[in-house]
Amino acid sequence: MRRIRMLLLTMVAVFMLAGCGSDQKTAENAASAESPQAPADEDDSGTENTEAGIISSEDMGETETASEDETETSDAGEEIQEDNIMILTVNGTNLTAVMEDNSSVEALMGLLAEGPLTIEMSDYANMEKVGSIGTSLPRNDEQITTSAGDLILYLGNSFVIYYAPNSWDFTRLGKIQDITADELKELLGDGDVTVTLSLPEQ
């Protein structure tokens, strides 16, 4: 009888242990099914995509800003070029000169802002016309070999128009545009000539 009871108790204990193990596995499976791992991965991916989108937007903004800056720089360059134009009137003909960017030109343009400047010029050495400005301008002398159309400041107070080459220490003021050496020499003539300097009409 004792052996039968012991056998029955042992069998009950085995069934109980088997049932607990099954319940534990069921609970683990349920917990695994409820785990939000896949959505978490999607959230991370979404965050990275969002950040990439923000960076791309900023890059586009910087590109647009750079384009605007280039446009402003280009426009500013055109305005500076227009400000560096001087008109020379010789025997009723208007010539256009593009001026240099130095303190000598700034001082000369300042004089012309007050009104046109007329200079009586004479020929020298069959290569230039030279005349007094009537005042002294800052000098920016350098070794120069001139060519036809070069406008030169000599000794700070003389205005020179070259129609032939010469090498010396001069201050370069500008260059007459759209005229050949022969055309310029013919326009200036062989003797004295009156030249009027002025700013373009606004």
Side-chain angles (χ1 to χ4, degrees):
M1 202 61 186
R2 254 183 216 178
R3 289 181 181 177
I4 293 172
R5 286 180 181 176
M6 290 293 294
L7 184 59
L8 289 172
L9 289 173
T10 300
M11 292 176 65
V12 170
V14 170
F15 283 122
M16 290 179 66
L17 289 172
C20 289
S22 177
D23 291 341
Q24 184 175 358
K25 289 181 179 179
T26 302
E28 289 176 354
N29 291 337
S32 176
E34 294 175 358
S35 175
Q37 291 180 356
D41 292 340
E42 291 176 1
D43 290 342
D44 292 341
S45 175
T47 300
E48 292 175 1
N49 290 338
T50 301
E51 291 175 356
I54 292 173
I55 292 172
S56 176
S57 176
E58 290 175 353
D59 291 343
M60 289 176 63
E62 291 176 0
T63 302
E64 292 174 359
T65 301
S67 298
E68 291 175 359
D69 290 343
E70 290 175 1
T71 301
E72 291 174 1
T73 301
S74 177
D75 292 341
E78 291 178 0
E79 289 177 2
I80 290 173
Q81 187 176 2
E82 291 176 359
D83 289 344
N84 278 357
I85 296 297
M86 186 177 73
I87 304 301
L88 298 87
T89 304
V90 183
N91 293 325
T93 299
N94 288 340
L95 303 175
T96 299
V98 176
M99 308 302 285
E100 295 290 315
D101 183 12
N102 57 43
S103 59
S104 308
V105 171
E106 290 178 5
L108 178 58
M109 300 297 254
L111 286 177
L112 299 183
E114 300 174 0
L117 176 64
T118 298
I119 303 176
E120 300 297 331
M121 309 185 75
S122 58
D123 197 80
Y124 178 77
N126 199 35
M127 62 181 176
E128 68 184 59
K129 299 292 185 181
V130 56
S132 174
I133 297 174
T135 187
S136 293
L137 304 180
R139 296 170 63 173
N140 292 275
D141 291 347
E142 59 180 332
Q143 179 66 34
I144 296 173
T145 297
T146 64
S147 60
D150 280 345
L151 304 179
I152 298 295
L153 176 67
Y154 178 61
L155 297 179
N157 56 18
S158 294
F159 183 77
V160 185
I161 302 174
Y162 273 93
Y163 56 84
N166 184 31
S167 294
W168 203 259
D169 283 343
F170 298 127
T171 295
R172 190 186 298 276
L173 295 176
K175 178 97 173 172
I176 299 174
Q177 304 295 297
D178 303 323
I179 192 168
T180 67
D182 290 341
E183 290 171 341
L184 181 59
K185 184 174 182 180
E186 182 178 355
L187 180 63
L188 292 172
D190 294 330
D192 296 345
V193 63
T194 299
V195 178
T196 299
L197 312 181
S198 62
L199 300 179
E201 294 183 3
Q202 300 299 324

